[in-house]
Amino acid sequence: MPKLEKFAFWKRPMPDEWRSRTFWKDTGWAYIYLLPALIILGIFTFYPFFSTFRLSLYRVSFTNFPGTYVGLDHFRYIFGDRYFWRALWNTLIIVGTSVPITLLLALVVANLLNKSLRFRTFARTSFFLSYITPMVAVIMVWQLMYNESFGLINYLIGLIGVDRIAWLNSPQYALPAVIILSIWRYVGYQAIILLAGMQGIDQMYYEAAKIDGASGFQVWRKITVPLLTPQIFFLLIISMIGSFKMFTEVYVLFTGTSGPLKSAETLVYYIMRQGFFFTPHYGRAAAASIVLFAIIFIVTLFQMQVAKKRVHYQ
Amino acid sequence: MKLRYLVVLSILAAFAVGFMATAQEPVTIEFWHRFGEYNTSMLEQLATWFEAEYPWITVNFVYQGSYSALQQKVNGAVVAGEVPTMTIFYEDWIAPLADALVPLTPYFTDEEIADILPGMLYKDMITIPFNKSIMVLYYIEEYVETPPTTWEEFYALCVENTVDVDGDGNIDRYGTGLRPSANPEQFLALLEQNNGTILNEDWTEVTLDNEAGMEALNFYASLAPYAWVTSSYLNSEIGRVAMAIDTSAGYSHWIDAAEGTEYTVKTAALPVGEKMASFIQGTNIGIFKGAPQAEIDAGVLFLKFLLRGEMTGFWAATSGYLPVTYSGMDSAVWTYALLSSPHSVVSSEMLPSGVSSLAHPNYGDMRAALGTMCEEIALGAATVEEAVETAVDEIEYLLDY
């Protein structure tokens, strides 16, 4: 009971500023300024969120919306569905491989771009192009590059004696094909963000390290990377959430399917398949969305905790 | 004097009738579709003729994007109660929307219903067929001199045409192509040809794994080593397959793909199993109950108009789809079209043996289960027995869901 005392706000003395008329006027104005954003968030974020939760408890009928209340049946269904677990596993593989590999490559590229290379501006622009080119166009080009008989990738690996790979028609290679495409697409963007971070690092740290006789790698590991942690943290969150939500790459690369034997199916594709392909099951799709939300929420909370200890803002 | 009165009265009566006919309240029908520019212009031509006959009705065509987008918009419109008058949709979308659609039987005479090709009539007639195609056999003339007429001949040609042309150890050309998850209808045509069915007549039992079903599945599995298994369209790499079971609606895409290459694409009837049968695909049109009664009435008139022999014949001849009625098949415009298109002759001849999708409320999910089964077999991820057992379990679950 004594522990609960600190939550008993009604027992606390009224703060002095509450007696001030100006305080209430300023607070009122603050809320008025916030109102447009709150309305937009309410309509487009909070309402859909709670509505999704409600939908997950119903077997939706189009003609008698929302339909029949079924409790947690949809959660039971998806947890018993082999394709849900496959989609979750695939998503975790994508997050676990593409996020760290992209970040590592981006660090290397940013480091190179930070040096006084010839054609540096051209190189920077080229790396960013992959990000600013419309995604569907990029994926369609990759579809051609992955082609088993005339694709560029099979031609290149053929030069080193590797046999042709059915990238898009074989269950073993479908997911790696998605991961490679995703890494290629985001390396440039992440490199530019990291490059901006690198250029914001005060030169005096490098000069001090030079005087102390630190090697190039030591400087990179002890100065550059720690001072880039705000950017790295930002990119980690953004890319993890992006990877958890991966859909377009799969949908376009495999012409509307999720690869042979659903071997490249991601959680978002699973949600789309349940909700919008074949016979629509909005309830199941909503239940799977709630699970995806819970996963992203927990991962983000964990990242925030790590960030408190590891991210150096100055 | 009497005669004068009679003449005046007759003239007045004629005016009155004419006035009543033209004094109908103007009605606009909203028609959702996903046709491209050319087919939309053909639809508009049909609407122009219709509006000339029914001057108080205007048909407003609304393009709704891809088929997938159209399906989502239709579902959303029904939930929101903001429906168009009518829309096109695939048969496997219809069942969950059945309660929202106007049963059309009372509006049509027995004669009109009997005129619709039997394989195209949807259960309870809550929709009427519109842009329909049928599975035919595409073949590359340079590889296949004479198209196969039986399963045995088809299999033999598949084996013969699966070759490593450049000797690098990889197959460059396959006998046929399979799109198992995207197009399980390739298997369903074989199932039908072997007198097999997915369910028994009263939909209480799964019959996919009976003798006829297993024979069809084993034949499908026997094609797998000689088939390019893909989710892409089979004409996306012309020359990759020697023959393909594909929809007649894709003819222009096959021809476009072959243009400028060394290949000549032709079509033939499907090779026959126990009997000739093929699978009809394409969309139907339905009218929504939620539309105002005047729009429903006008919509029915438009449907009746579209089913007239000359109209369905015109639509088929110009759009590349098929007539949906006997009178359409006999129409002058379709008969003329057949003279210049051997491909249309093939499709037309196959039409009477066409079958449509099952009208079960969960057919969409059943089709997905069949697609997975076909894919597992085609890619060798499961034996025929394992794959069919999983599919049967899933379909049994769907029977009662």
Side-chain angles (χ1 to χ4, degrees), chain A residues 246-293:
Chain A
M246 187 173 284
F247 171 77
T248 316
E249 288 87 341
V250 177
Y251 187 79
V252 180
L253 203 53
F254 300 103
T255 331
T257 71
S258 52
L261 294 170
K262 302 185 179 62
S263 51
E265 184 153 294
T266 59
L267 262 185
V268 174
Y269 190 99
Y270 178 85
I271 291 167
M272 278 295 286
R273 186 160 65 79
Q274 290 295 344
F276 301 103
F277 303 161
F278 310 116
T279 308
H281 298 289
Y282 291 159
R284 285 182 201 165
S289 305
I290 302 278
V291 175
L292 177 62
F293 165 76

Short mmCIF file of all heavy atoms in Angstrom, two decimals, chain A residues 246-293:
data_model
loop_
_atom_site.label_atom_id
_atom_site.label_comp_id
_atom_site.label_asym_id
_atom_site.label_seq_id
_atom_site.Cartn_x
_atom_site.Cartn_y
_atom_site.Cartn_z
N MET A 246 7.72 -5.64 -45.24
CA MET A 246 8.03 -5.86 -46.65
C MET A 246 6.86 -6.56 -47.40
O MET A 246 6.34 -7.55 -46.95
CB MET A 246 9.27 -6.72 -46.78
CG MET A 246 9.74 -6.82 -48.21
SD MET A 246 11.29 -7.67 -48.32
CE MET A 246 12.41 -6.41 -47.76
N PHE A 247 6.49 -5.97 -48.52
CA PHE A 247 5.39 -6.54 -49.31
C PHE A 247 5.63 -6.35 -50.81
O PHE A 247 5.64 -7.31 -51.57
CB PHE A 247 4.06 -5.89 -48.91
CG PHE A 247 2.93 -6.26 -49.83
CD1 PHE A 247 2.32 -7.50 -49.74
CD2 PHE A 247 2.49 -5.38 -50.81
CE1 PHE A 247 1.31 -7.88 -50.60
CE2 PHE A 247 1.48 -5.74 -51.68
CZ PHE A 247 0.87 -6.98 -51.56
N THR A 248 5.84 -5.07 -51.20
CA THR A 248 5.89 -4.76 -52.64
C THR A 248 6.95 -5.59 -53.37
O THR A 248 6.70 -6.07 -54.49
CB THR A 248 6.18 -3.26 -52.84
OG1 THR A 248 5.38 -2.55 -51.93
CG2 THR A 248 5.88 -2.81 -54.24
N GLU A 249 8.12 -5.73 -52.75
CA GLU A 249 9.21 -6.47 -53.39
C GLU A 249 8.73 -7.88 -53.77
O GLU A 249 8.96 -8.36 -54.88
CB GLU A 249 10.41 -6.59 -52.45
CG GLU A 249 11.18 -5.30 -52.23
CD GLU A 249 10.62 -4.45 -51.10
OE1 GLU A 249 9.44 -4.65 -50.73
OE2 GLU A 249 11.34 -3.58 -50.60
N VAL A 250 8.04 -8.53 -52.82
CA VAL A 250 7.59 -9.90 -53.05
C VAL A 250 6.48 -9.92 -54.10
O VAL A 250 6.51 -10.70 -55.06
CB VAL A 250 7.06 -10.50 -51.71
CG1 VAL A 250 6.51 -11.91 -51.93
CG2 VAL A 250 8.17 -10.52 -50.67
N TYR A 251 5.53 -9.04 -53.93
CA TYR A 251 4.34 -9.03 -54.81
C TYR A 251 4.73 -8.81 -56.27
O TYR A 251 4.22 -9.49 -57.16
CB TYR A 251 3.38 -7.93 -54.33
CG TYR A 251 2.06 -7.93 -55.04
CD1 TYR A 251 1.07 -8.84 -54.70
CD2 TYR A 251 1.79 -7.02 -56.05
CE1 TYR A 251 -0.15 -8.84 -55.35
CE2 TYR A 251 0.58 -7.00 -56.70
CZ TYR A 251 -0.40 -7.91 -56.35
OH TYR A 251 -1.61 -7.91 -57.00
N VAL A 252 5.63 -7.86 -56.50
CA VAL A 252 5.97 -7.55 -57.89
C VAL A 252 6.96 -8.57 -58.45
O VAL A 252 6.81 -9.04 -59.57
CB VAL A 252 6.53 -6.11 -58.02
CG1 VAL A 252 6.89 -5.79 -59.46
CG2 VAL A 252 5.51 -5.11 -57.50
N LEU A 253 7.96 -8.93 -57.64
CA LEU A 253 8.99 -9.85 -58.11
C LEU A 253 8.39 -11.19 -58.55
O LEU A 253 8.82 -11.78 -59.53
CB LEU A 253 10.00 -10.09 -56.97
CG LEU A 253 11.41 -10.55 -57.34
CD1 LEU A 253 12.05 -9.64 -58.36
CD2 LEU A 253 12.29 -10.64 -56.09
N PHE A 254 7.38 -11.66 -57.84
CA PHE A 254 6.80 -12.96 -58.16
C PHE A 254 5.43 -12.84 -58.83
O PHE A 254 4.57 -13.71 -58.70
CB PHE A 254 6.72 -13.84 -56.90
CG PHE A 254 8.05 -14.08 -56.29
CD1 PHE A 254 8.45 -13.39 -55.16
CD2 PHE A 254 8.94 -14.97 -56.87
CE1 PHE A 254 9.70 -13.58 -54.61
CE2 PHE A 254 10.19 -15.17 -56.33
CZ PHE A 254 10.57 -14.47 -55.20
N THR A 255 5.23 -11.72 -59.53
CA THR A 255 4.02 -11.50 -60.34
C THR A 255 2.73 -11.79 -59.56
O THR A 255 1.89 -12.59 -59.97
CB THR A 255 4.05 -12.36 -61.64
OG1 THR A 255 5.38 -12.57 -62.03
CG2 THR A 255 3.28 -11.71 -62.76
N GLY A 256 2.62 -11.17 -58.39
CA GLY A 256 1.36 -11.27 -57.65
C GLY A 256 1.30 -12.46 -56.70
O GLY A 256 0.35 -12.59 -55.94
N THR A 257 2.31 -13.33 -56.74
CA THR A 257 2.31 -14.45 -55.78
C THR A 257 3.40 -14.19 -54.74
O THR A 257 4.07 -13.16 -54.78
CB THR A 257 2.59 -15.79 -56.49
OG1 THR A 257 3.96 -15.81 -56.88
CG2 THR A 257 1.70 -15.98 -57.69
N SER A 258 3.57 -15.13 -53.80
CA SER A 258 4.64 -14.93 -52.82
C SER A 258 5.76 -15.93 -53.07
O SER A 258 6.36 -16.45 -52.15
CB SER A 258 4.09 -15.07 -51.40
OG SER A 258 3.38 -16.29 -51.26
N GLY A 259 6.00 -16.20 -54.33
CA GLY A 259 7.09 -17.09 -54.70
C GLY A 259 6.63 -18.53 -54.74
O GLY A 259 5.55 -18.85 -54.24
N PRO A 260 7.47 -19.40 -55.31
CA PRO A 260 7.07 -20.81 -55.39
C PRO A 260 6.86 -21.39 -54.00
O PRO A 260 7.69 -21.18 -53.10
CB PRO A 260 8.27 -21.48 -56.09
CG PRO A 260 9.37 -20.50 -56.05
CD PRO A 260 8.79 -19.14 -55.92
N LEU A 261 5.76 -22.09 -53.81
CA LEU A 261 5.39 -22.68 -52.51
C LEU A 261 5.35 -21.65 -51.39
O LEU A 261 5.66 -21.96 -50.25
CB LEU A 261 6.37 -23.82 -52.14
CG LEU A 261 6.34 -25.03 -53.06
CD1 LEU A 261 7.49 -25.96 -52.75
CD2 LEU A 261 5.01 -25.77 -52.91
N LYS A 262 5.03 -20.43 -51.73
CA LYS A 262 4.95 -19.32 -50.76
C LYS A 262 6.28 -19.16 -50.01
O LYS A 262 6.30 -18.74 -48.85
CB LYS A 262 3.80 -19.52 -49.77
CG LYS A 262 2.45 -19.67 -50.44
CD LYS A 262 1.32 -19.76 -49.44
CE LYS A 262 -0.03 -19.88 -50.08
NZ LYS A 262 -0.24 -21.06 -50.91
N SER A 263 7.37 -19.50 -50.70
CA SER A 263 8.66 -19.53 -50.03
C SER A 263 9.19 -18.14 -49.70
O SER A 263 10.14 -18.01 -48.94
CB SER A 263 9.68 -20.28 -50.88
OG SER A 263 9.66 -19.75 -52.19
N ALA A 264 8.62 -17.09 -50.28
CA ALA A 264 9.09 -15.75 -49.95
C ALA A 264 7.96 -14.95 -49.29
O ALA A 264 7.99 -13.72 -49.28
CB ALA A 264 9.58 -15.05 -51.21
N GLU A 265 7.00 -15.66 -48.75
CA GLU A 265 5.85 -14.94 -48.16
C GLU A 265 6.28 -14.23 -46.86
O GLU A 265 6.89 -14.84 -45.99
CB GLU A 265 4.71 -15.92 -47.87
CG GLU A 265 3.46 -15.21 -47.35
CD GLU A 265 2.19 -15.97 -47.68
OE1 GLU A 265 1.88 -16.06 -48.88
OE2 GLU A 265 1.55 -16.48 -46.76
N THR A 266 5.95 -12.97 -46.77
CA THR A 266 6.25 -12.20 -45.56
C THR A 266 4.95 -12.03 -44.77
O THR A 266 3.87 -12.32 -45.27
CB THR A 266 6.81 -10.82 -45.93
OG1 THR A 266 5.83 -10.16 -46.73
CG2 THR A 266 8.11 -10.93 -46.70
N LEU A 267 5.09 -11.49 -43.56
CA LEU A 267 3.89 -11.32 -42.73
C LEU A 267 2.87 -10.38 -43.39
O LEU A 267 1.67 -10.64 -43.36
CB LEU A 267 4.27 -10.75 -41.37
CG LEU A 267 4.40 -11.75 -40.23
CD1 LEU A 267 4.67 -11.04 -38.92
CD2 LEU A 267 3.13 -12.60 -40.09
N VAL A 268 3.37 -9.30 -43.99
CA VAL A 268 2.42 -8.36 -44.60
C VAL A 268 1.75 -8.99 -45.83
O VAL A 268 0.56 -8.79 -46.06
CB VAL A 268 3.11 -7.02 -44.95
CG1 VAL A 268 2.17 -6.10 -45.71
CG2 VAL A 268 3.56 -6.33 -43.68
N TYR A 269 2.52 -9.80 -46.57
CA TYR A 269 1.90 -10.49 -47.70
C TYR A 269 0.83 -11.45 -47.18
O TYR A 269 -0.26 -11.56 -47.75
CB TYR A 269 2.96 -11.26 -48.52
CG TYR A 269 2.41 -11.77 -49.82
CD1 TYR A 269 2.62 -11.09 -51.00
CD2 TYR A 269 1.60 -12.92 -49.87
CE1 TYR A 269 2.08 -11.53 -52.19
CE2 TYR A 269 1.07 -13.37 -51.04
CZ TYR A 269 1.30 -12.68 -52.21
OH TYR A 269 0.74 -13.12 -53.37
N TYR A 270 1.15 -12.12 -46.07
CA TYR A 270 0.17 -13.06 -45.47
C TYR A 270 -1.11 -12.29 -45.10
O TYR A 270 -2.23 -12.76 -45.36
CB TYR A 270 0.80 -13.69 -44.22
CG TYR A 270 -0.12 -14.64 -43.48
CD1 TYR A 270 -0.24 -15.98 -43.85
CD2 TYR A 270 -0.88 -14.19 -42.39
CE1 TYR A 270 -1.08 -16.84 -43.17
CE2 TYR A 270 -1.73 -15.05 -41.71
CZ TYR A 270 -1.83 -16.37 -42.11
OH TYR A 270 -2.67 -17.21 -41.43
N ILE A 271 -0.92 -11.10 -44.52
CA ILE A 271 -2.08 -10.28 -44.14
C ILE A 271 -2.89 -9.91 -45.38
O ILE A 271 -4.12 -10.04 -45.42
CB ILE A 271 -1.61 -9.01 -43.39
CG1 ILE A 271 -1.05 -9.40 -42.02
CG2 ILE A 271 -2.75 -7.99 -43.24
CD1 ILE A 271 -0.27 -8.30 -41.33
N MET A 272 -2.17 -9.50 -46.42
CA MET A 272 -2.86 -9.13 -47.67
C MET A 272 -3.59 -10.33 -48.26
O MET A 272 -4.72 -10.22 -48.72
CB MET A 272 -1.84 -8.63 -48.71
CG MET A 272 -1.43 -7.20 -48.55
SD MET A 272 -2.78 -6.04 -48.81
CE MET A 272 -2.96 -6.10 -50.58
N ARG A 273 -2.92 -11.49 -48.23
CA ARG A 273 -3.52 -12.70 -48.81
C ARG A 273 -4.79 -13.07 -48.06
O ARG A 273 -5.80 -13.41 -48.66
CB ARG A 273 -2.51 -13.85 -48.77
CG ARG A 273 -2.96 -15.11 -49.46
CD ARG A 273 -1.78 -16.00 -49.79
NE ARG A 273 -1.11 -16.51 -48.63
CZ ARG A 273 -1.55 -17.55 -47.89
NH1 ARG A 273 -2.68 -18.15 -48.21
NH2 ARG A 273 -0.86 -17.97 -46.86
N GLN A 274 -4.73 -12.99 -46.74
CA GLN A 274 -5.91 -13.33 -45.95
C GLN A 274 -7.04 -12.32 -46.17
O GLN A 274 -8.21 -12.69 -46.26
CB GLN A 274 -5.58 -13.38 -44.45
CG GLN A 274 -4.69 -14.55 -44.05
CD GLN A 274 -5.39 -15.89 -44.24
OE1 GLN A 274 -6.60 -15.97 -44.39
NE2 GLN A 274 -4.62 -16.96 -44.27
N GLY A 275 -6.66 -11.06 -46.23
CA GLY A 275 -7.68 -10.01 -46.25
C GLY A 275 -8.21 -9.66 -47.63
O GLY A 275 -9.37 -9.27 -47.78
N PHE A 276 -7.36 -9.79 -48.63
CA PHE A 276 -7.76 -9.22 -49.92
C PHE A 276 -7.64 -10.14 -51.12
O PHE A 276 -8.13 -9.81 -52.19
CB PHE A 276 -6.97 -7.93 -50.18
CG PHE A 276 -7.17 -6.91 -49.11
CD1 PHE A 276 -6.21 -6.68 -48.14
CD2 PHE A 276 -8.36 -6.19 -49.03
CE1 PHE A 276 -6.40 -5.76 -47.14
CE2 PHE A 276 -8.57 -5.28 -48.03
CZ PHE A 276 -7.59 -5.06 -47.08
N PHE A 277 -6.95 -11.28 -50.99
CA PHE A 277 -6.87 -12.18 -52.13
C PHE A 277 -7.85 -13.33 -51.91
O PHE A 277 -8.16 -13.67 -50.78
CB PHE A 277 -5.46 -12.76 -52.29
CG PHE A 277 -4.37 -11.73 -52.43
CD1 PHE A 277 -3.05 -12.05 -52.20
CD2 PHE A 277 -4.66 -10.43 -52.80
CE1 PHE A 277 -2.05 -11.11 -52.33
CE2 PHE A 277 -3.66 -9.48 -52.94
CZ PHE A 277 -2.34 -9.81 -52.69
N PHE A 278 -8.26 -13.97 -52.97
CA PHE A 278 -9.20 -15.09 -52.91
C PHE A 278 -10.44 -14.66 -52.11
O PHE A 278 -10.94 -13.57 -52.29
CB PHE A 278 -8.53 -16.34 -52.31
CG PHE A 278 -7.23 -16.65 -52.96
CD1 PHE A 278 -6.04 -16.61 -52.26
CD2 PHE A 278 -7.18 -16.96 -54.32
CE1 PHE A 278 -4.82 -16.89 -52.89
CE2 PHE A 278 -5.98 -17.23 -54.95
CZ PHE A 278 -4.81 -17.19 -54.23
N THR A 279 -10.93 -15.56 -51.19
CA THR A 279 -12.08 -15.15 -50.38
C THR A 279 -11.55 -14.25 -49.26
O THR A 279 -10.70 -14.68 -48.49
CB THR A 279 -12.74 -16.39 -49.75
OG1 THR A 279 -13.00 -17.32 -50.79
CG2 THR A 279 -14.02 -16.02 -49.04
N PRO A 280 -12.03 -13.01 -49.17
CA PRO A 280 -11.45 -12.12 -48.17
C PRO A 280 -11.83 -12.53 -46.74
O PRO A 280 -12.99 -12.79 -46.46
CB PRO A 280 -12.06 -10.76 -48.51
CG PRO A 280 -12.71 -10.92 -49.82
CD PRO A 280 -13.06 -12.36 -49.97
N HIS A 281 -10.80 -12.61 -45.87
CA HIS A 281 -11.03 -12.91 -44.45
C HIS A 281 -10.48 -11.73 -43.65
O HIS A 281 -9.34 -11.77 -43.19
CB HIS A 281 -10.31 -14.20 -44.05
CG HIS A 281 -10.80 -15.40 -44.76
ND1 HIS A 281 -12.04 -15.96 -44.52
CD2 HIS A 281 -10.24 -16.16 -45.74
CE1 HIS A 281 -12.21 -17.01 -45.31
NE2 HIS A 281 -11.15 -17.13 -46.06
N TYR A 282 -11.29 -10.69 -43.53
CA TYR A 282 -10.80 -9.48 -42.87
C TYR A 282 -10.41 -9.75 -41.41
O TYR A 282 -9.46 -9.18 -40.89
CB TYR A 282 -11.86 -8.37 -42.92
CG TYR A 282 -12.10 -7.82 -44.31
CD1 TYR A 282 -13.29 -7.14 -44.61
CD2 TYR A 282 -11.15 -7.94 -45.31
CE1 TYR A 282 -13.52 -6.63 -45.88
CE2 TYR A 282 -11.39 -7.43 -46.58
CZ TYR A 282 -12.57 -6.78 -46.85
OH TYR A 282 -12.79 -6.27 -48.12
N GLY A 283 -11.19 -10.62 -40.74
CA GLY A 283 -10.91 -10.92 -39.34
C GLY A 283 -9.54 -11.54 -39.15
O GLY A 283 -8.77 -11.12 -38.29
N ARG A 284 -9.22 -12.52 -40.00
CA ARG A 284 -7.90 -13.16 -39.91
C ARG A 284 -6.80 -12.15 -40.21
O ARG A 284 -5.76 -12.12 -39.56
CB ARG A 284 -7.80 -14.29 -40.92
CG ARG A 284 -8.56 -15.52 -40.53
CD ARG A 284 -8.33 -16.57 -41.60
NE ARG A 284 -9.37 -17.56 -41.58
CZ ARG A 284 -9.59 -18.42 -42.57
NH1 ARG A 284 -8.85 -18.39 -43.65
NH2 ARG A 284 -10.56 -19.30 -42.48
N ALA A 285 -7.04 -11.34 -41.25
CA ALA A 285 -6.03 -10.34 -41.61
C ALA A 285 -5.82 -9.37 -40.46
O ALA A 285 -4.69 -8.99 -40.14
CB ALA A 285 -6.47 -9.59 -42.87
N ALA A 286 -6.93 -8.98 -39.80
CA ALA A 286 -6.82 -8.05 -38.67
C ALA A 286 -6.06 -8.70 -37.52
O ALA A 286 -5.19 -8.08 -36.90
CB ALA A 286 -8.22 -7.64 -38.21
N ALA A 287 -6.32 -9.99 -37.26
CA ALA A 287 -5.63 -10.69 -36.18
C ALA A 287 -4.13 -10.75 -36.47
O ALA A 287 -3.30 -10.48 -35.60
CB ALA A 287 -6.20 -12.09 -36.02
N ALA A 288 -3.79 -11.07 -37.72
CA ALA A 288 -2.36 -11.14 -38.08
C ALA A 288 -1.73 -9.75 -37.98
O ALA A 288 -0.55 -9.62 -37.60
CB ALA A 288 -2.20 -11.71 -39.48
N SER A 289 -2.49 -8.71 -38.30
CA SER A 289 -1.96 -7.34 -38.19
C SER A 289 -1.66 -7.00 -36.74
O SER A 289 -0.66 -6.33 -36.44
CB SER A 289 -2.97 -6.32 -38.72
OG SER A 289 -3.33 -6.64 -40.01
N ILE A 290 -2.52 -7.44 -35.84
CA ILE A 290 -2.30 -7.16 -34.42
C ILE A 290 -1.01 -7.86 -33.95
O ILE A 290 -0.21 -7.29 -33.22
CB ILE A 290 -3.49 -7.68 -33.55
CG1 ILE A 290 -4.80 -7.05 -34.00
CG2 ILE A 290 -3.24 -7.51 -32.06
CD1 ILE A 290 -5.10 -5.69 -33.48
N VAL A 291 -0.81 -9.10 -34.43
CA VAL A 291 0.41 -9.83 -34.06
C VAL A 291 1.64 -9.09 -34.60
O VAL A 291 2.63 -8.89 -33.89
CB VAL A 291 0.37 -11.28 -34.61
CG1 VAL A 291 1.68 -12.00 -34.35
CG2 VAL A 291 -0.78 -12.04 -33.97
N LEU A 292 1.54 -8.63 -35.86
CA LEU A 292 2.67 -7.89 -36.44
C LEU A 292 2.93 -6.62 -35.64
O LEU A 292 4.08 -6.28 -35.34
CB LEU A 292 2.37 -7.55 -37.91
CG LEU A 292 3.42 -6.71 -38.62
CD1 LEU A 292 4.77 -7.44 -38.69
CD2 LEU A 292 2.98 -6.37 -40.05
N PHE A 293 1.86 -5.92 -35.27
CA PHE A 293 2.01 -4.70 -34.48
C PHE A 293 2.73 -5.03 -33.16
O PHE A 293 3.66 -4.32 -32.76
CB PHE A 293 0.63 -4.10 -34.18
CG PHE A 293 0.65 -3.07 -33.08
CD1 PHE A 293 1.15 -1.80 -33.30
CD2 PHE A 293 0.21 -3.40 -31.80
CE1 PHE A 293 1.20 -0.86 -32.27
CE2 PHE A 293 0.25 -2.47 -30.77
CZ PHE A 293 0.75 -1.21 -31.00
#
